[in-house]
PDB file of all heavy atoms in Angstrom:
ATOM      1  N   GLN A   2      -1.904  10.185   9.667  1.00 96.00           N
ATOM      2  CA  GLN A   2      -2.923   9.200   9.425  1.00 96.00           C
ATOM      3  C   GLN A   2      -2.187   7.998   8.776  1.00 96.00           C
ATOM      4  O   GLN A   2      -1.336   8.143   7.904  1.00 96.00           O
ATOM      5  CB  GLN A   2      -3.966   9.675   8.463  1.00 96.00           C
ATOM      6  CG  GLN A   2      -4.935   8.752   7.928  1.00 96.00           C
ATOM      7  CD  GLN A   2      -5.964   8.143   8.985  1.00 96.00           C
ATOM      8  OE1 GLN A   2      -6.573   8.929   9.636  1.00 96.00           O
ATOM      9  NE2 GLN A   2      -6.070   6.888   8.947  1.00 96.00           N
ATOM     10  N   TYR A   3      -2.569   6.780   9.135  1.00 97.00           N
ATOM     11  CA  TYR A   3      -2.105   5.553   8.410  1.00 97.00           C
ATOM     12  C   TYR A   3      -3.215   5.122   7.434  1.00 97.00           C
ATOM     13  O   TYR A   3      -4.407   5.316   7.697  1.00 97.00           O
ATOM     14  CB  TYR A   3      -1.812   4.463   9.484  1.00 97.00           C
ATOM     15  CG  TYR A   3      -0.344   4.382   9.841  1.00 97.00           C
ATOM     16  CD1 TYR A   3       0.051   5.172  10.864  1.00 97.00           C
ATOM     17  CD2 TYR A   3       0.463   3.547   9.165  1.00 97.00           C
ATOM     18  CE1 TYR A   3       1.419   5.055  11.274  1.00 97.00           C
ATOM     19  CE2 TYR A   3       1.800   3.529   9.565  1.00 97.00           C
ATOM     20  CZ  TYR A   3       2.358   4.207  10.581  1.00 97.00           C
ATOM     21  OH  TYR A   3       3.607   4.278  10.960  1.00 97.00           O
ATOM     22  N   TRP A   4      -2.704   4.462   6.338  1.00 98.00           N
ATOM     23  CA  TRP A   4      -3.552   4.003   5.244  1.00 98.00           C
ATOM     24  C   TRP A   4      -3.091   2.705   4.900  1.00 98.00           C
ATOM     25  O   TRP A   4      -2.074   2.109   5.286  1.00 98.00           O
ATOM     26  CB  TRP A   4      -3.491   4.880   3.994  1.00 98.00           C
ATOM     27  CG  TRP A   4      -3.803   6.345   4.217  1.00 98.00           C
ATOM     28  CD1 TRP A   4      -2.886   7.326   4.660  1.00 98.00           C
ATOM     29  CD2 TRP A   4      -5.091   6.949   4.205  1.00 98.00           C
ATOM     30  NE1 TRP A   4      -3.572   8.441   4.903  1.00 98.00           N
ATOM     31  CE2 TRP A   4      -4.951   8.280   4.518  1.00 98.00           C
ATOM     32  CE3 TRP A   4      -6.353   6.502   3.800  1.00 98.00           C
ATOM     33  CZ2 TRP A   4      -5.992   9.219   4.454  1.00 98.00           C
ATOM     34  CZ3 TRP A   4      -7.401   7.376   3.744  1.00 98.00           C
ATOM     35  CH2 TRP A   4      -7.207   8.689   4.139  1.00 98.00           C
ATOM     36  N   LEU A   5      -3.873   1.846   4.185  1.00 98.00           N
ATOM     37  CA  LEU A   5      -3.514   0.596   3.497  1.00 98.00           C
ATOM     38  C   LEU A   5      -3.821   0.828   2.003  1.00 98.00           C
ATOM     39  O   LEU A   5      -4.787   1.202   1.592  1.00 98.00           O
ATOM     40  CB  LEU A   5      -4.335  -0.529   4.105  1.00 98.00           C
ATOM     41  CG  LEU A   5      -3.864  -1.926   3.478  1.00 98.00           C
ATOM     42  CD1 LEU A   5      -3.894  -2.894   4.605  1.00 98.00           C
ATOM     43  CD2 LEU A   5      -4.821  -2.332   2.373  1.00 98.00           C
ATOM     44  N   MET A   6      -2.820   0.392   1.166  1.00 98.00           N
ATOM     45  CA  MET A   6      -2.834   0.535  -0.148  1.00 98.00           C
ATOM     46  C   MET A   6      -2.512  -0.797  -0.869  1.00 98.00           C
ATOM     47  O   MET A   6      -1.530  -1.434  -0.559  1.00 98.00           O
ATOM     48  CB  MET A   6      -1.973   1.687  -0.775  1.00 98.00           C
ATOM     49  CG  MET A   6      -2.431   3.058  -0.075  1.00 98.00           C
ATOM     50  SD  MET A   6      -1.235   4.360  -0.316  1.00 98.00           S
ATOM     51  CE  MET A   6      -1.613   4.959  -1.999  1.00 98.00           C
ATOM     52  N   GLN A  35     -14.852   6.131  -3.832  1.00 94.00           N
ATOM     53  CA  GLN A  35     -14.556   6.302  -2.367  1.00 94.00           C
ATOM     54  C   GLN A  35     -12.988   6.490  -2.235  1.00 94.00           C
ATOM     55  O   GLN A  35     -12.570   7.376  -1.435  1.00 94.00           O
ATOM     56  CB  GLN A  35     -15.023   5.066  -1.546  1.00 94.00           C
ATOM     57  CG  GLN A  35     -14.976   5.336  -0.212  1.00 94.00           C
ATOM     58  CD  GLN A  35     -15.779   4.292   0.626  1.00 94.00           C
ATOM     59  OE1 GLN A  35     -16.332   3.312   0.191  1.00 94.00           O
ATOM     60  NE2 GLN A  35     -15.881   4.638   1.988  1.00 94.00           N
ATOM     61  N   TRP A  39     -10.668   9.867  -0.868  1.00 96.00           N
ATOM     62  CA  TRP A  39      -9.496   9.851   0.163  1.00 96.00           C
ATOM     63  C   TRP A  39      -8.295  10.393  -0.450  1.00 96.00           C
ATOM     64  O   TRP A  39      -7.616  11.203   0.225  1.00 96.00           O
ATOM     65  CB  TRP A  39      -9.408   8.481   0.710  1.00 96.00           C
ATOM     66  CG  TRP A  39     -10.418   8.091   1.743  1.00 96.00           C
ATOM     67  CD1 TRP A  39     -10.909   8.782   2.650  1.00 96.00           C
ATOM     68  CD2 TRP A  39     -10.925   6.685   1.838  1.00 96.00           C
ATOM     69  NE1 TRP A  39     -11.743   8.042   3.390  1.00 96.00           N
ATOM     70  CE2 TRP A  39     -11.869   6.778   2.953  1.00 96.00           C
ATOM     71  CE3 TRP A  39     -10.809   5.565   1.149  1.00 96.00           C
ATOM     72  CZ2 TRP A  39     -12.579   5.651   3.299  1.00 96.00           C
ATOM     73  CZ3 TRP A  39     -11.560   4.387   1.450  1.00 96.00           C
ATOM     74  CH2 TRP A  39     -12.424   4.518   2.620  1.00 96.00           C
ATOM     75  N   ASP A  43      -8.108  13.678   1.603  1.00 97.00           N
ATOM     76  CA  ASP A  43      -7.663  13.292   3.044  1.00 97.00           C
ATOM     77  C   ASP A  43      -6.220  12.890   3.181  1.00 97.00           C
ATOM     78  O   ASP A  43      -5.743  13.004   4.255  1.00 97.00           O
ATOM     79  CB  ASP A  43      -8.551  12.171   3.538  1.00 97.00           C
ATOM     80  CG  ASP A  43      -9.970  12.696   3.624  1.00 97.00           C
ATOM     81  OD1 ASP A  43     -10.310  13.624   4.137  1.00 97.00           O
ATOM     82  OD2 ASP A  43     -10.953  11.945   2.909  1.00 97.00           O
ATOM     83  N   MET A  44      -5.595  12.358   2.058  1.00 97.00           N
ATOM     84  CA  MET A  44      -4.256  12.013   2.210  1.00 97.00           C
ATOM     85  C   MET A  44      -3.384  13.238   2.297  1.00 97.00           C
ATOM     86  O   MET A  44      -3.518  14.215   1.536  1.00 97.00           O
ATOM     87  CB  MET A  44      -3.919  11.088   1.074  1.00 97.00           C
ATOM     88  CG  MET A  44      -4.378   9.787   1.156  1.00 97.00           C
ATOM     89  SD  MET A  44      -3.738   8.656  -0.038  1.00 97.00           S
ATOM     90  CE  MET A  44      -3.778   7.122   0.751  1.00 97.00           C
ATOM     91  N   PHE A  51       0.513   1.166   4.700  1.00 98.00           N
ATOM     92  CA  PHE A  51       0.830  -0.190   4.508  1.00 98.00           C
ATOM     93  C   PHE A  51       0.757  -0.636   3.074  1.00 98.00           C
ATOM     94  O   PHE A  51      -0.192  -0.377   2.398  1.00 98.00           O
ATOM     95  CB  PHE A  51      -0.076  -1.141   5.385  1.00 98.00           C
ATOM     96  CG  PHE A  51       0.163  -0.958   6.824  1.00 98.00           C
ATOM     97  CD1 PHE A  51      -0.958  -0.193   7.561  1.00 98.00           C
ATOM     98  CD2 PHE A  51       1.202  -1.503   7.547  1.00 98.00           C
ATOM     99  CE1 PHE A  51      -0.755  -0.106   8.902  1.00 98.00           C
ATOM    100  CE2 PHE A  51       1.360  -1.259   8.913  1.00 98.00           C
ATOM    101  CZ  PHE A  51       0.370  -0.544   9.703  1.00 98.00           C
ATOM    102  N   GLY A 127     -13.602  -4.537  12.847  1.00 94.00           N
ATOM    103  CA  GLY A 127     -13.907  -3.233  12.150  1.00 94.00           C
ATOM    104  C   GLY A 127     -12.978  -2.866  11.111  1.00 94.00           C
ATOM    105  O   GLY A 127     -13.136  -1.851  10.469  1.00 94.00           O
ATOM    106  N   PHE A 128     -11.802  -3.555  11.080  1.00 96.00           N
ATOM    107  CA  PHE A 128     -10.825  -3.261   9.977  1.00 96.00           C
ATOM    108  C   PHE A 128     -11.480  -3.645   8.623  1.00 96.00           C
ATOM    109  O   PHE A 128     -11.825  -4.659   8.342  1.00 96.00           O
ATOM    110  CB  PHE A 128      -9.578  -4.150  10.235  1.00 96.00           C
ATOM    111  CG  PHE A 128      -8.399  -3.774   9.325  1.00 96.00           C
ATOM    112  CD1 PHE A 128      -8.225  -2.556   8.756  1.00 96.00           C
ATOM    113  CD2 PHE A 128      -7.367  -4.777   9.224  1.00 96.00           C
ATOM    114  CE1 PHE A 128      -7.087  -2.244   8.014  1.00 96.00           C
ATOM    115  CE2 PHE A 128      -6.213  -4.429   8.440  1.00 96.00           C
ATOM    116  CZ  PHE A 128      -6.140  -3.127   7.817  1.00 96.00           C
ATOM    117  N   ARG A 129     -11.455  -2.556   7.769  1.00 95.00           N
ATOM    118  CA  ARG A 129     -12.160  -2.648   6.574  1.00 95.00           C
ATOM    119  C   ARG A 129     -11.711  -3.785   5.621  1.00 95.00           C
ATOM    120  O   ARG A 129     -12.356  -4.409   4.849  1.00 95.00           O
ATOM    121  CB  ARG A 129     -12.170  -1.302   5.654  1.00 95.00           C
ATOM    122  CG  ARG A 129     -12.535  -0.145   6.530  1.00 95.00           C
ATOM    123  CD  ARG A 129     -12.452   1.126   5.688  1.00 95.00           C
ATOM    124  NE  ARG A 129     -13.667   1.413   4.939  1.00 95.00           N
ATOM    125  CZ  ARG A 129     -14.433   2.459   5.273  1.00 95.00           C
ATOM    126  NH1 ARG A 129     -14.136   3.248   6.213  1.00 95.00           N
ATOM    127  NH2 ARG A 129     -15.433   2.663   4.519  1.00 95.00           N
ATOM    128  N   LEU A 130     -10.366  -3.972   5.726  1.00 97.00           N
ATOM    129  CA  LEU A 130      -9.731  -4.943   4.812  1.00 97.00           C
ATOM    130  C   LEU A 130     -10.441  -6.368   5.150  1.00 97.00           C
ATOM    131  O   LEU A 130     -10.468  -7.125   4.173  1.00 97.00           O
ATOM    132  CB  LEU A 130      -8.179  -5.127   5.154  1.00 97.00           C
ATOM    133  CG  LEU A 130      -7.402  -6.100   4.326  1.00 97.00           C
ATOM    134  CD1 LEU A 130      -7.285  -5.643   2.954  1.00 97.00           C
ATOM    135  CD2 LEU A 130      -6.206  -6.445   5.084  1.00 97.00           C
ATOM    136  N   LEU A 137     -12.070  -2.397  -1.687  1.00 95.00           N
ATOM    137  CA  LEU A 137     -11.405  -1.073  -1.696  1.00 95.00           C
ATOM    138  C   LEU A 137      -9.919  -1.216  -1.883  1.00 95.00           C
ATOM    139  O   LEU A 137      -9.334  -2.087  -1.211  1.00 95.00           O
ATOM    140  CB  LEU A 137     -11.612  -0.183  -0.380  1.00 95.00           C
ATOM    141  CG  LEU A 137     -12.969   0.508  -0.432  1.00 95.00           C
ATOM    142  CD1 LEU A 137     -13.175   1.036   1.108  1.00 95.00           C
ATOM    143  CD2 LEU A 137     -13.009   1.693  -1.313  1.00 95.00           C
ATOM    144  N   ILE A 139      -7.812   1.198  -1.486  1.00 97.00           N
ATOM    145  CA  ILE A 139      -7.243   2.131  -0.540  1.00 97.00           C
ATOM    146  C   ILE A 139      -8.162   2.340   0.636  1.00 97.00           C
ATOM    147  O   ILE A 139      -9.395   2.448   0.462  1.00 97.00           O
ATOM    148  CB  ILE A 139      -7.034   3.497  -1.151  1.00 97.00           C
ATOM    149  CG1 ILE A 139      -5.927   3.453  -2.228  1.00 97.00           C
ATOM    150  CG2 ILE A 139      -6.630   4.593  -0.166  1.00 97.00           C
ATOM    151  CD1 ILE A 139      -5.506   4.794  -2.866  1.00 97.00           C
ATOM    152  N   MET A 140      -7.652   2.396   1.834  1.00 97.00           N
ATOM    153  CA  MET A 140      -8.498   2.615   3.058  1.00 97.00           C
ATOM    154  C   MET A 140      -7.670   3.140   4.262  1.00 97.00           C
ATOM    155  O   MET A 140      -6.585   2.798   4.270  1.00 97.00           O
ATOM    156  CB  MET A 140      -9.187   1.216   3.428  1.00 97.00           C
ATOM    157  CG  MET A 140      -8.208   0.268   3.955  1.00 97.00           C
ATOM    158  SD  MET A 140      -8.897  -1.444   3.965  1.00 97.00           S
ATOM    159  CE  MET A 140      -8.908  -1.908   2.345  1.00 97.00           C
ATOM    160  N   PRO A 141      -8.428   3.939   5.086  1.00 97.00           N
ATOM    161  CA  PRO A 141      -7.727   4.409   6.223  1.00 97.00           C
ATOM    162  C   PRO A 141      -7.601   3.298   7.208  1.00 97.00           C
ATOM    163  O   PRO A 141      -8.377   2.387   7.248  1.00 97.00           O
ATOM    164  CB  PRO A 141      -8.726   5.447   6.776  1.00 97.00           C
ATOM    165  CG  PRO A 141      -9.976   5.215   6.170  1.00 97.00           C
ATOM    166  CD  PRO A 141      -9.767   4.393   4.876  1.00 97.00           C
ATOM    167  N   VAL A 142      -6.535   3.338   8.119  1.00 97.00           N
ATOM    168  CA  VAL A 142      -6.343   2.393   9.127  1.00 97.00           C
ATOM    169  C   VAL A 142      -6.259   3.111  10.548  1.00 97.00           C
ATOM    170  O   VAL A 142      -5.655   4.159  10.548  1.00 97.00           O
ATOM    171  CB  VAL A 142      -4.955   1.635   8.966  1.00 97.00           C
ATOM    172  CG1 VAL A 142      -4.826   0.582  10.031  1.00 97.00           C
ATOM    173  CG2 VAL A 142      -4.941   0.963   7.638  1.00 97.00           C
ATOM    174  N   SER A 143      -7.073   2.728  11.318  1.00 96.00           N
ATOM    175  CA  SER A 143      -7.224   3.499  12.634  1.00 96.00           C
ATOM    176  C   SER A 143      -5.942   3.306  13.450  1.00 96.00           C
ATOM    177  O   SER A 143      -5.125   2.366  13.152  1.00 96.00           O
ATOM    178  CB  SER A 143      -8.334   2.879  13.521  1.00 96.00           C
ATOM    179  OG  SER A 143      -7.969   1.672  14.095  1.00 96.00           O
ATOM    180  N   GLU A 144      -5.745   4.232  14.398  1.00 96.00           N
ATOM    181  CA  GLU A 144      -4.450   4.236  15.070  1.00 96.00           C
ATOM    182  C   GLU A 144      -4.349   2.868  15.962  1.00 96.00           C
ATOM    183  O   GLU A 144      -3.198   2.376  15.962  1.00 96.00           O
ATOM    184  CB  GLU A 144      -4.542   5.429  16.095  1.00 96.00           C
ATOM    185  CG  GLU A 144      -3.092   5.828  16.653  1.00 96.00           C
ATOM    186  CD  GLU A 144      -3.248   7.193  17.352  1.00 96.00           C
ATOM    187  OE1 GLU A 144      -4.097   8.036  16.942  1.00 96.00           O
ATOM    188  OE2 GLU A 144      -2.439   7.388  18.265  1.00 96.00           O
ATOM    189  N   HIS A 146      -5.560  -0.120  15.181  1.00 97.00           N
ATOM    190  CA  HIS A 146      -5.245  -1.131  14.228  1.00 97.00           C
ATOM    191  C   HIS A 146      -3.932  -1.147  13.816  1.00 97.00           C
ATOM    192  O   HIS A 146      -3.206  -2.095  13.582  1.00 97.00           O
ATOM    193  CB  HIS A 146      -6.274  -1.127  13.060  1.00 97.00           C
ATOM    194  CG  HIS A 146      -7.729  -1.510  13.489  1.00 97.00           C
ATOM    195  ND1 HIS A 146      -8.808  -1.293  12.667  1.00 97.00           N
ATOM    196  CD2 HIS A 146      -8.228  -2.088  14.595  1.00 97.00           C
ATOM    197  CE1 HIS A 146      -9.884  -1.756  13.254  1.00 97.00           C
ATOM    198  NE2 HIS A 146      -9.578  -2.172  14.447  1.00 97.00           N
TER     199      HIS A 146
END
Side-chain angles (χ1 to χ4, degrees):
Chain A
Q2 170 73 49
Y3 265 85
W4 304 87
L5 181 142
M6 300 166 82
Q35 189 166 9
W39 284 320
D43 299 305
M44 285 188 150
F51 293 106
F128 189 21
R129 307 178 91 110
L130 179 74
L137 281 168
I139 292 183
M140 67 194 76
V142 183
S143 75
E144 202 168 327
H146 290 166

